[in-house]
Amino acid sequence: MKCFLKRENGYQLLMFLFAAFFIPVGCVQGQLGKDNGAQYRNGMVVCAYPDAAQVGLNILKKGGNAVDAAVAVQFALAVTLPEAGNIGGGGFMVYRSAKGESNTLDFREKAPAMASQDMYLDSAGNVVPGMSLSTHKASGVPGSVDGMVEAHRKYGRLKWEELVQPAIDIAHNGFKITKRLAADLNRNEAEFKKLNEGKNYLIKDTPWQEGDLLVQEDLAKTLEQVRDKGRAGFYEGPVADELITEMQSGKGLISKTDLQNYHAVWRKALTGTYKDYKIITMPPPSSGGIALLQLLQSVQKYPLNRWGFNRDSTVQLVVEAERRVYADRSKYLGDPDFYKVPGDSLLKPAYNTSRMSTFGWDKATASASILPGKFVGYESDQTTHYSIVDREGNAVAITTTLNGSFGSKIFVKGAGFLLNNEMDDFSSKPGVPNMFGLVGGKANSIQPGKRMLSSMTPTIVEKDGKLFMVVGTPGGSTIITSVFQTILNVIEFNQGMQQAVNSKRFHHQWLPDVVYIEQDALNSADSVKLAQKGYKIVGSGPSGRVDAILKTKWGYYEGGADPRGDDTKLGW
Ligand code: DON
């Protein structure tokens, strides 16, 4: 079908009437001059693997709501995206009902009861390399299964079994792997062999190739337990036993009591505004929501739209905002159940404006000169985000992770799933960077039962009281800046959803004092101008995999599936 819808043109009413009368359901093409793909009326799923997107769409078409589809997608990704989809990890959900109520679910992993502040330090007080990443001690207590059970208990409509079964079918029957997954598996083979005894389903005698069938019988059996017993199918019984046996075989810390005590937590959504838009996002223990709102406040009064997308002034301003916000993150953010996060102070507009007042246009601020504020009072992207909207307009944004690619790369023998290495998101020692180069201190120190600080930023944006955008991404420390830039791309630079996702990104995180840019993110003249002002510009690989949905003013859903991965958007 030919493109005919365009935002902001003089024919809106006419077009609306045309659309309303002649296109009752289904898809229409993207906006004029923009390749934003098909638009849909009844719902949409955008996630990191085609087969999982199909599972989500089938659930929506069956009458499931966005939460039902999210639960089914979570389990399907645990099968089809072993590097990030998971039952052995955790995540966050941001939810907005069609009526406008919002809520968030924290199913982040927790430090085991036997964890301790200095557990990754040697006798000389130095961090032991790799210990928080590739050992049995690297794992936090998994939260994903309890999170899905909770999400379904509160908002689900279809039967739980119907939501888990598609993942079981894929695990049991196998699915054809993409070229990218084949390459990921081949690249990690040596590590899988080193860290696990015997064979497992991700190791093959000959290299994986695109189109090979990946069958996961052990995982199918584990998922059957979850299907039949819900929470108890994972945190008790044979699966829990296998997890504990695995822990004991590698001096891991997770105990039966840790599993029994794990509970996902509903937390009031963090909200803020940017111009006419309301931002609904994740509160701590993610740093993502607070940091995103701080960033938006920091740039709000500047004419980004006039300066233009990824032009030197835009990049300079955004980098300076990011520098300051990440400095705050290092000191003030941690699990609110253990540390008093000064969220109100960090989110005072006057605070963020005053932080920006120390920057001058002629020269880059040195990160060394920026301390966390005061107020009174790359491995590849291996987390995954999915955005879902249903027919009624309920929306779900979930970011979920094992942390590193394939987590700790350690399988629970017999149970067929990978363990996370989320403990690395804690600050092992003040000032020592974690695998994303992030530093932290007391707020994010290790304590038994505490949740490690995250950057995951599942977010929903409203305009005029109505759903506007659902967005999120993987990418470790770059998550926050990718979500921030995607929102600016749509609101400030008038990009459609797919274009906003495709657009090249850049990133600064205070330390190291470097601006990472994706290839061709900046034109060379602007790069030179910024370099002359003292910005250290360094090329990076692809940054993030944003999966997002925009609701057009015509009431259609327009998806953005990140071409940096196998991400897929499906709607109806
Ligand atoms: O929660 C966090 O911030 C990290 N564990 C996310 C890890 C991630 O995005 C991995 N992808 N690069």
Side-chain angles (χ1 to χ4, degrees):
M1 202 184 297
K2 238 176 136 42
C3 293
F4 66 91
L5 283 184
K6 181 176 178 167
R7 218 182 294 156
E8 319 291 6
N9 73 18
Y11 302 105
Q12 285 174 352
L13 183 62
L14 197 65
M15 289 305 182
F16 177 76
L17 292 173
F18 178 84
F21 287 106
F22 295 97
I23 312 165
V25 287
C27 89
V28 293
Q29 284 293 307
Q31 297 161 8
L32 277 179
K34 293 175 181 170
D35 176 20
N36 285 315
Q39 300 181 340
Y40 301 91
R41 188 58 121 179
N42 291 322
M44 214 168 174
V45 179
V46 189
C47 77
Y49 207 83
D51 304 57
Q54 190 60 55
V55 165
L57 182 67
N58 293 347
I59 294 291
L60 291 180
K61 285 188 171 172
K62 249 170 122 172
N65 62 24
V67 173
D68 290 322
V71 171
V73 168
Q74 175 79 27
F75 288 117
L77 285 170
V79 178
T80 58
L81 192 75
E83 61 267 56
N86 67 83
I87 52 173
F92 299 117
M93 171 172 96
V94 174
Y95 171 75
R96 181 186 181 277
S97 75
K99 290 190 191 132
E101 297 137 352
S102 56
N103 205 349
T104 78
L105 182 62
D106 165 1
F107 54 101
R108 180 73 161 166
E109 302 91 324
K110 293 174 80 161
M114 280 188 281
S116 56
Q117 183 170 318
D118 297 337
M119 62 186 276
Y120 299 121
L121 305 186
D122 62 18
S123 52
N126 297 318
V127 174
V128 180
M131 196 171 169
S132 62
L133 286 170
S134 332
T135 68
H136 287 73
K137 285 196 175 70
S139 301
V141 184
S144 291
V145 173
D146 194 58
M148 292 305 109
V149 169
E150 262 304 304
H152 178 258
R153 188 188 61 74
K154 197 166 177 76
Y155 295 116
R157 182 183 295 156
L158 298 187
K159 284 207 191 91
W160 171 255
E161 299 79 44
E162 282 181 82
L163 308 179
V164 190
Q165 190 61 43
I168 297 172
D169 294 341
I170 302 175
H172 181 71
N173 301 328
F175 68 100
K176 288 193 172 152
I177 65 172
T178 60
K179 191 171 171 190
R180 188 182 311 271
L181 179 51
D184 282 349
L185 291 172
N186 292 332
R187 199 173 37 248
N188 282 283
E189 187 191 298
E191 288 280 292
F192 293 145
K193 284 184 175 157
K194 193 173 103 193
L195 293 164
N196 297 280
E197 272 169 29
K199 284 215 141 195
N200 67 58
Y201 59 85
L202 296 186
I203 301 173
K204 209 161 131 298
D205 295 335
T206 52
W208 288 98
Q209 281 175 5
E210 181 180 3
D212 282 349
L213 201 66
L214 177 55
V215 177
Q216 302 167 75
E217 286 297 359
D218 288 346
L219 183 55
K221 268 191 275 157
T222 295
L223 289 169
E224 278 166 7
Q225 290 286 319
V226 171
R227 175 196 63 195
D228 297 342
K229 299 189 189 130
R231 186 194 139 82
F234 185 84
Y235 296 91
E236 296 167 33
V239 175
D241 290 344
E242 279 159 336
L243 200 157
I244 298 305
T245 306
E246 184 62 50
M247 279 290 135
Q248 286 162 353
S249 76
K251 300 202 179 90
L253 301 185
I254 299 175
S255 69
K256 266 202 162 157
T257 319
D258 285 326
L259 293 177
Q260 276 155 14
N261 288 346
Y262 183 88
H263 289 286
V265 185
W266 292 100
R267 299 190 190 271
K268 188 168 176 290
L270 179 67
T271 57
T273 55
Y274 178 72
K275 300 189 173 172
D276 298 340
Y277 299 83
K278 179 174 170 189
I279 314 291
I280 304 165
T281 187
M282 194 66 212
S286 183
S287 62
I290 287 187
L292 174 66
L293 296 180
Q294 282 190 275
L295 288 168
L296 289 166
Q297 283 183 9
S298 303
V299 304
Q300 176 152 235
K301 69 169 192 184
Y302 296 88
L304 294 174
N305 174 277
R306 183 154 58 74
W307 294 338
F309 166 74
N310 280 11
R311 295 309 308 271
D312 57 332
S313 299
T314 303
V315 173
Q316 187 172 0
L317 181 79
V318 166
V319 163
E320 292 299 343
E322 291 174 354
R323 187 195 309 282
R324 286 156 178 80
V325 168
Y326 275 78
D328 284 347
R329 179 195 190 280
S330 73
K331 177 161 180 185
Y332 294 117
L333 291 175
D335 182 348
D337 296 342
F338 285 73
Y339 181 83
K340 197 168 173 336
V341 176
D344 290 347
S345 302
L346 289 167
L347 292 175
K348 282 210 172 79
Y351 169 71
N352 290 301
T353 314
S354 79
R355 293 279 280 164
M356 290 301 280
S357 68
T358 59
F359 117 81
W361 285 105
D362 50 333
K363 198 160 159 274
T365 313
S367 280
S369 72
I370 295 285
L371 294 176
K374 290 204 172 83
F375 24 75
V376 184
Y378 248 59
E379 183 155 27
S380 57
D381 296 330
Q382 296 317 345
T383 292
T384 192
H385 174 85
Y386 48 102
S387 295
I388 300 181
V389 284
D390 65 23
R391 191 172 190 157
E392 285 115 85
N394 305 299
V396 170
I398 288 187
T399 315
T400 177
T401 186
L402 290 167
N403 194 29
S405 187
F406 301 96
S408 66
K409 303 188 171 62
I410 296 171
F411 289 87
V412 174
K413 254 184 278 349
F417 67 92
L418 282 155
L419 289 162
N420 68 78
N421 57 358
E422 218 73 60
M423 292 292 283
D424 188 66
D425 274 347
F426 277 118
S427 167
S428 296
K429 184 179 175 181
V432 176
N434 73 357
M435 80 156 164
F436 299 111
L438 293 168
V439 289
K442 186 162 175 267
N444 190 31
S445 63
I446 306 172
Q447 285 177 257
K450 187 174 176 181
R451 289 174 155 94
M452 53 297 281
L453 185 62
S454 173
S455 300
M456 294 189 284
T457 316
T459 296
I460 296 175
V461 183
E462 253 182 34
K463 190 177 184 206
D464 302 328
K466 297 202 183 90
L467 179 66
F468 181 70
M469 196 194 305
V470 189
V471 59
T473 182
S477 55
T478 67
I479 291 175
I480 301 164
T481 53
S482 294
V483 169
F484 175 46
Q485 286 167 47
T486 306
I487 291 174
L488 291 182
N489 289 348
V490 172
I491 296 180
E492 292 294 340
F493 305 118
N494 199 28
Q495 298 181 3
M497 196 69 261
Q498 187 61 58
Q499 191 188 357
V501 166
N502 294 356
S503 283
K504 295 297 168 80
R505 300 189 267 266
F506 56 92
H507 172 74
H508 193 286
Q509 58 179 50
W510 179 48
L511 297 174
D513 192 350
V514 163
V515 186
Y516 296 101
I517 61 162
E518 288 188 306
Q519 196 177 3
D520 300 327
L522 271 70
N523 71 45
S524 49
D526 284 353
S527 288
V528 170
K529 275 193 222 162
L530 288 166
Q532 280 166 347
K533 291 181 178 183
Y535 291 92
K536 288 176 220 80
I537 296 177
V538 171
S540 76
S543 178
R545 289 187 191 176
V546 178
D547 283 344
I549 300 171
L550 189 69
K551 188 160 189 198
T552 68
K553 54 176 63 159
W554 313 102
Y556 287 89
Y557 298 124
E558 179 182 301
D562 206 317
R564 294 163 183 82
D566 293 321
D567 303 53
T568 305
K569 52 183 182 181
L570 293 177
W572 70 303

